[in-house]
Amino acid sequence: MHDLTANTALGGAAPRVDHHGPVILSEEPGFALASVSARRDRQRATVLAIRRMIGPSAPKTGHWAGDRVTAFCTGPEQWILAAPYDSEEFLFERAKREVKGNASVTEQTGAWCTFDLRGTDLAAVMERLCPINMASFKAGSAIRSSIDHLSCFVLCRTKNHISIFGPRSSAVSLHHSLLTAIQAAF
């Protein structure tokens, strides 16, 4: 029998947490992810399926919604679902059942890494990273943006909490960019 040990995207046994000035940067490995893309002429049924999973209506472009299971819009009639892995390990299978063939669903858990920024004046950090208009970036906002040449999704949880989803294969580079921006801001 193999003796395998799970590692985070940054290669550690435990998630990395960095403190600098008023900002905490934390690696958040505990998410199950699945993408959902409505099939032609089945957008309404797909939106209803997402609503059954997240509670509120499926978010429109530029937004995220939900509580335990959340969804953020990634394009026209396309979303990524995210949920705590310990309670939604089979998010992909659940999403597939819910959409009932009205959408294409793909497992995304191993493809993305997540970092959370918590603290005050996060705009000072984000303005160094990407061209997001932080004056209009409020709780419930979500946007796809380039961070140091990496395509990432940025979600505003609250004024003092931002989540960044980036490619897991570039987790070390993304973490370095985030940490450098924090250190430059403070």
Side-chain angles (χ1 to χ4, degrees):
M1 185 82 189
H2 295 288
D3 187 17
L4 302 176
T5 303
N7 289 334
T8 68
L10 292 177
R16 181 161 171 181
V17 178
D18 296 286
H19 300 263
H20 189 80
V23 179
I24 298 169
L25 170 62
S26 59
E27 182 181 16
E28 300 292 335
F31 285 101
L33 302 168
S35 67
V36 177
S37 299
R39 293 187 177 150
R40 178 182 247 172
D41 300 324
R42 298 194 182 156
Q43 294 88 347
R44 181 166 165 67
T46 302
V47 166
L48 291 173
I50 291 173
R51 184 176 188 170
R52 287 191 300 271
M53 292 187 68
I54 70 169
S57 188
K60 303 230 183 277
T61 302
H63 295 89
W64 70 271
D67 187 23
R68 189 175 55 78
V69 177
T70 60
F72 55 93
C73 187
T74 60
E77 278 79 31
Q78 298 175 17
W79 299 267
I80 287 186
L81 300 173
Y85 192 79
D86 57 358
S87 64
E88 288 287 342
E89 179 180 355
F90 302 105
L91 181 65
F92 164 73
E93 288 87 355
R94 180 177 171 208
K96 221 171 148 183
R97 280 191 312 274
E98 286 290 340
V99 301
K100 299 175 183 158
N102 293 306
S104 297
V105 181
T106 57
E107 172 67 65
Q108 296 291 317
T109 303
W112 298 89
C113 62
T114 307
F115 293 100
D116 279 0
L117 292 171
R118 288 184 175 89
T120 58
D121 200 15
L122 295 179
V125 176
M126 296 307 294
E127 289 167 350
R128 287 167 168 76
L129 290 167
C130 56
I132 295 175
N133 179 353
M134 292 305 291
S136 64
F137 201 60
K138 307 287 183 208
S141 296
I143 192 165
R144 185 173 208 152
S145 186
S146 177
I147 296 178
D148 204 20
H149 305 286
L150 299 171
S151 182
C152 298
F153 293 101
V154 183
L155 282 63
C156 183
R157 306 286 188 179
T158 68
K159 176 183 169 188
N160 297 321
H161 182 189
I162 292 175
S163 293
I164 299 168
F165 292 78
R168 183 180 175 100
S169 60
S170 299
V172 173
S173 296
L174 178 57
H175 178 263
H176 174 74
S177 296
L178 296 170
L179 195 54
T180 301
I182 293 167
Q183 292 167 343
F186 303 104

